[in-house]
Amino acid sequence: MKQEKIGLIGIGKLGTAMMTHWDKQGISIGVYHPVKSKAEQFVQNFQHGYILMESERTEVDVLILALPAIEVIPFISSLKIHSNLQQSPDIINMATNLHTNEVKSKFPSLNVHGVKYMGHGRDLLEHGNGLFITEASLPNKIAEIFQFLGKVIIDSENCLTEVNKLATYFALKTAIDLESEYTKRGLSPEYLKRALTSLAPEVIRSYSNGTLGHFAKEIIKEIQSEKE
C-alpha cells in the first residue's frame, strides 16, 4: 500500500490492539496524547510508532479517533479546522456510542467517516481478524489501513450498537447467574473466578468454532430437552 501519513488518537485497549497489528506490518503511525509522557511510553512498545505533536495533528492524511464517545467532538473542535478549503485529514470516528452522522452534522466541512469495531479490544489484540462496520464505502487509503486488522463490511451503525448491547447484556446476565448459583451451592469463590475467566469464555469460543467436546455436547442435549 502507498504509505499514507496516519495519526492515532486514543491509546486504550482498541488503540493498542490496532497499533500492534499495524506495527507488525511495518506501518508507520504517529501517536498523539495530550500528556506527552504517556504517548512516549506508548510508542516505546512499537518499532514503527512515533510521537505526533499537537501542531502536527492536522498534517496527517488520516486521523483515527479511538476515543470514548464523549471525547470525539471536543477533540475535533480542538483541531480548529474552520474551512474545507484548508487542507485537512480524513477523520475516522470509532466511538461505538456516537453516531457518525452526529459528528458530520457538527462538522459539515470535514471529511468524517465512521469505522466501528464489533468486538472486544483484547480479542483483536490477541487474535487479529477483527470485524469493522461502516455505513458507506471507504476511500481506498482508509480501506487499506483497516485491511491489516480484519474485515470491513457495510451496515448500519445502529446494528452494531444492537449487536454489542445484546452480547454485553447476555454475557453479564450469565456472569450474574453463575455468581448467584455458585454462591447458593456454597462453592468456593476461587471456583467462581475460574468459571468466569476460563471455563465459560472457552466454552462459548468452542461453541462458536464448532469444536465442543463430548461433555459439552451432552449438556446441549440437556438444554434442548428442557426447552422442548
Side-chain angles (χ1 to χ4, degrees), residues 59-107:
E59 297 175 1
V60 298
D61 298 299
V62 180
L63 194 59
I64 299 170
L65 308 187
L67 294 170
I70 61 171
E71 296 181 18
V72 172
I73 289 177
F75 177 82
I76 298 176
S77 296
S78 76
L79 297 175
K80 295 181 170 59
I81 304 174
H82 301 295
S83 171
N84 58 3
L85 298 178
Q86 178 181 347
Q87 183 177 358
S88 61
D90 284 271
I91 296 174
I92 310 299
N93 167 41
M94 300 197 72
T96 301
N97 292 324
L98 176 63
H99 201 289
T100 303
N101 284 340
E102 183 178 342
V103 184
K104 289 180 176 180
S105 66
K106 185 76 174 177
F107 306 99

Side-chain angles (χ1 to χ4, degrees), residues 24-44:
K24 290 177 181 177
Q25 297 294 329
I27 300 174
S28 181
I29 305 286
V31 177
Y32 171 79
H33 193 282
V35 181
K36 187 179 177 183
S37 60
K38 290 187 176 181
E40 291 173 338
Q41 184 178 6
F42 181 78
V43 299
Q44 284 177 1

Side-chain angles (χ1 to χ4, degrees), residues 8 17 30 41 54 66 76 78 104 115 143 147 161 179 192 195 208:
L8 173 65
Q41 184 178 6
E54 183 173 355
I76 298 176
S78 76
K104 289 180 176 180
V115 181
Q147 73 178 1
T161 303
E179 184 177 32
L192 172 61
S208 175

Side-chain angles (χ1 to χ4, degrees), residues 3-14:
Q3 180 63 72
E4 303 287 348
K5 192 171 182 182
I6 305 164
L8 173 65
I9 315 299
I11 56 177
K13 292 178 181 177
L14 180 57

